[in-house]
Amino acid sequence: MLWPMIAIALGFLGIAVLGVLAVRVFVEVRRLARQVGTASERIQRAAQDLERAAVPLASRMHEAGRERAGD
């Protein structure tokens, strides 16, 4: 009778440990998802800023190209 009780206790402890680890993984995944979301927003803003900064430069290059073609 002792061995079945030990087996049941170890099985319960194993499931409890797996449950605790699953909760920890869930919390870390949520934290990672939050960080990925923040990083993607920053990348989006940086891309928009780069695009805004590139438009005047591109138009100046276009104007310079036209002036050279006219020479």
Side-chain angles (χ1 to χ4, degrees):
M1 186 70 169
L2 177 66
W3 292 110
M5 292 178 78
I6 291 174
I8 290 172
L10 288 177
F12 177 76
L13 287 175
I15 291 173
V17 167
L18 288 176
V20 168
L21 292 176
V23 169
R24 289 181 65 187
V25 166
F26 177 74
V27 169
E28 290 300 320
V29 165
R30 286 189 59 170
R31 186 181 310 167
L32 177 63
R34 220 175 302 124
Q35 289 177 352
V36 167
T38 302
S40 67
E41 288 174 7
R42 287 180 183 170
I43 290 171
Q44 182 82 17
R45 277 184 293 201
Q48 289 172 351
D49 291 345
L50 181 62
E51 188 175 345
R52 262 187 256 119
V55 168
L57 180 61
S59 64
R60 276 187 280 186
M61 292 299 291
H62 184 68
E63 295 290 325
R66 272 203 232 156
E67 290 174 4
R68 283 190 186 161
D71 288 348

